[in-house]
Amino acid sequence: MTVKFVELLALMALGSLYGWYAASIFWVFAGCLAAAVAWLLLEQYRFARVLKWLRDEDWANEPSVAHVWGVLVERIRKLQKSLSGKAKDSQSRLDEFLSAIQASPNGVVLLDNQSRIEWANETAGEHLGIDPQRDLMQHVTNLIRDPVFLSYLGKGEFDSEISIQGIRKAGFQSLTVAVRVHPYGKKRKLMLSRDVTAVQQAEAMRRDFVANVSHEIRTPLTVLSGFVETLQTLELEEADRAHYLSLMAQQAERMQSLVSDLLTLSKLEGSPTPNRQGTVLASQLIEKCASDAQGLSEVLAGGSHRFSVDISQDAHLAGSPEELTSALGNLMSNAVRYTPAGGEISVGFRVLPDGDASLWVSDTGPGIAAEHLPRLTERFYRVDRSRSRETGGTGLGLAIVKHVIQRHGGQVNISSTLGKGSVFELHFPGDRVRRLSSHLH
Ligand code: ADP
């Protein structure tokens, strides 16, 4: 400040010196005044430069101004530097925080006090069909129109979550999303969303499964208890008694095979995949299952089915011999059970040129319409319900087959022509096939 004052005095002294030189007291005053005005203009000019620098925020090019303005510019520069450092710091922390929320498998939406979207992560966008950039500051109720959601938000009772149908942008699969709102701050809301499609599907499958099992068990049980009641209440001829008892034995057997298939399935689901140490020779596997199938054909069709075996090249299959026997056994038993008397059933094995192997069972049975094929390996899915029951089917055979082959890294392929017959192929990957050097014909 003193410097400024000295500057002003110096200018005024110069002005008055000029007045003295002009030898008039008036000019001394006038000189002083002119000097003061010039000084003010100079100050104004310096002030304007500092102001422009501040306004333009052109921090790199600070104006070179003298004295107190210079000190001011220097101070502002330092302050600005420290502030921008702090701002950068908090920006990078905010960025890290947001990218952590972005990485979350849950959808996160921040709503302001009027339920407008302040921020949303990509996952929320995918769950709720909102665009995290474009839809900022939009009312969430304009974007999520599900009535369940609208009433949930409207009521303002957020102690539980709701399930709504989400919108999957890619593809047309349905999506179920659980949404929960957590109020915070001044009427703001944090909205979290979770994809519960798989959980709900698993839950629905579990419910279906329990319902199916109960139904399958209840039918023979009802029949059984009916016969028990008959035997208890009626005086029966010996022949009738024997007939009823044999029907009862059939129902008991049906329940037994159901329980046994259920146990097989649960064992398959709960155990680790079979290692590659165990092996079974394809020809032996076929021989065993074919002889069981012939036995079944004796019972069901008086042995009238014609069987043929086609093994072009034998090989060892690595995995669980027990499981593979059960899989092929199920396919062969199906072929016998669904092919009318006199039909042909053939079973074969082949190592393919790429080293994979194919084990198949074909029959000249009724065939299966194409629309059933994708669902055939589902538990309890039956095309011919009555034939399945009559021949002791549980509806679980192909589900077991699919499990077994998948556990061996392969897949089941089914092809069928209505009225002509079906082919069920077990396709094994090469790493489960150990070739033999000799060829069988
Ligand atoms: P099931 O115990 O009822 O035979 P599966 O799971 O083994 O159950 O088979 C499912 C359904 O697929 C059967 O109910 C039957 O309708 C059909 N199916 C299976 N194998 C054959 C076949 N070889 N020919 C015609 N239909 C078949």
Side-chain angles (χ1 to χ4, degrees):
M1 217 53 216
T2 24
V3 181
K4 289 243 145 267
F5 199 60
V6 169
E7 191 183 72
L8 172 65
L9 282 183
L11 270 173
M12 286 174 76
L14 238 126
S16 50
L17 210 68
Y18 173 75
W20 176 74
Y21 178 69
S24 144
I25 191 73
F26 169 77
W27 283 112
V28 169
F29 276 119
C32 270
L33 200 66
V37 169
W39 181 81
L40 266 176
L41 284 175
L42 192 63
E43 281 299 279
Q44 188 62 37
Y45 167 70
R46 287 168 178 160
F47 173 68
R49 282 186 65 195
V50 173
L51 202 65
K52 179 174 175 346
W53 172 67
L54 281 175
R55 227 184 256 138
D56 295 351
E57 295 184 10
D58 184 12
W59 308 120
N61 296 319
E62 48 196 84
S64 60
V65 276
H67 316 310
V68 73
W69 291 113
V71 177
L72 195 69
V73 164
E74 185 59 27
R75 287 269 162 90
I76 291 175
R77 180 85 186 95
K78 271 192 185 147
L79 196 69
Q80 184 276 332
K81 224 178 177 173
S82 109
L83 278 179
S84 96
K86 275 186 195 156
K88 253 192 205 151
D89 231 39
S90 31
Q91 185 60 44
S92 81
R93 241 182 272 164
L94 183 67
D95 287 348
E96 270 172 32
F97 182 67
L98 291 181
S99 56
I101 303 182
Q102 278 294 9
S104 153
N106 290 340
V108 181
V109 184
L110 300 179
L111 300 177
D112 71 3
N113 54 5
Q114 290 176 48
S115 294
R116 286 179 304 203
I117 298 173
E118 282 188 315
W119 188 85
N121 68 355
E122 295 289 336
T123 317
E126 282 164 26
H127 287 169
L128 305 165
I130 54 183
D131 187 320
Q133 270 88 45
R134 191 198 58 205
D135 294 335
L136 287 187
M137 295 325 281
Q138 293 283 328
H139 281 274
V140 70
T141 48
N142 289 344
L143 300 166
I144 307 175
R145 304 293 305 157
D146 191 307
V148 178
F149 176 75
L150 295 177
S151 104
Y152 176 69
L153 202 68
K155 273 192 198 140
E157 290 163 12
F158 304 125
D159 21 335
S160 60
E161 65 180 21
I162 51 160
S163 276
I164 60 172
Q165 276 326 107
I167 300 161
R168 209 190 281 281
K169 279 184 201 146
F172 292 96
Q173 304 116 303
S174 69
L175 172 75
T176 313
V177 180
V179 174
R180 173 128 192 218
V181 168
H182 301 267
Y184 74 99
K186 285 186 182 155
K187 290 192 169 174
R188 283 163 184 275
K189 295 179 197 80
L190 167 72
M191 194 164 95
L192 300 180
S193 64
R194 232 162 12 100
D195 182 350
V196 291
T197 317
V199 179
Q200 292 216 339
Q201 271 168 359
E203 178 56 23
M205 269 171 71
R206 191 192 62 78
R207 270 199 308 269
D208 282 357
F209 183 67
V210 171
N212 276 323
V213 170
S214 316
H215 177 75
E216 294 290 332
I217 289 181
R218 202 177 49 197
T219 317
L221 259 183
T222 314
V223 180
L224 255 180
S225 55
F227 285 137
V228 168
E229 212 181 300
T230 312
L231 288 174
Q232 279 172 335
T233 52
L234 295 180
E235 282 295 321
L236 294 170
E237 298 281 315
E238 193 44 42
D240 289 340
R241 250 177 89 81
H243 177 60
Y244 283 144
L245 282 172
S246 95
L247 291 176
M248 287 169 75
Q250 255 178 35
Q251 296 304 322
E253 219 170 89
R254 198 173 141 190
M255 286 204 295
Q256 241 163 13
S257 34
L258 179 68
V259 170
S260 136
D261 276 1
L262 283 173
L263 284 176
T264 307
L265 261 182
S266 90
K267 224 162 58 186
L268 288 175
E269 279 175 345
S271 60
T273 50
N275 61 33
R276 289 178 172 78
Q277 262 79 59
T279 56
V280 58
L281 203 56
S283 58
Q284 276 174 9
L285 186 68
I286 289 177
E287 204 179 302
K288 156 117 192 38
C289 294
S291 102
D292 288 351
Q294 273 160 347
L296 186 63
S297 167
E298 286 293 336
V299 177
L300 295 177
S304 64
H305 291 115
R306 278 171 291 146
F307 284 89
S308 64
V309 175
D310 171 9
I311 303 174
S312 58
Q313 184 191 350
D314 204 359
H316 278 109
L317 293 172
S320 157
E322 196 189 319
E323 288 182 20
L324 294 174
T325 310
S326 147
L328 184 62
N330 267 306
L331 292 184
M332 295 224 52
S333 126
N334 279 357
V336 173
R337 286 169 42 236
Y338 294 102
T339 306
E344 269 175 51
I345 294 164
S346 87
V347 50
F349 178 79
R350 187 170 46 218
V351 178
L352 303 167
D354 61 0
D356 288 4
S358 171
L359 178 63
W360 77 93
V361 178
S362 72
D363 62 55
T364 55
I368 303 156
E371 73 256 29
H372 296 293
L373 295 182
R375 300 197 55 191
L376 223 52
T377 54
E378 285 177 21
R379 294 156 185 204
F380 299 113
Y381 189 85
R382 291 173 171 112
V383 183
D384 187 344
R385 205 158 268 281
S386 59
R387 179 105 191 122
S388 164
R389 292 250 162 76
E390 277 162 28
T391 55
T394 58
L396 296 173
L398 290 180
I400 292 175
V401 173
K402 183 179 159 193
H403 257 290
V404 168
I405 189 68
Q406 282 184 343
R407 283 160 59 76
H408 286 77
Q411 67 198 46
V412 200
N413 300 315
I414 310 172
S415 54
S416 188
T417 314
L418 263 184
K420 289 235 163 97
S422 319
V423 184
F424 289 79
E425 189 225 359
L426 301 182
H427 190 103
F428 290 88
D431 60 355
R432 291 268 177 185
V433 184
R434 313 259 187 278
R435 288 172 194 243
L436 304 179
S437 42
S438 63
H439 286 242
L440 297 181
H441 291 287

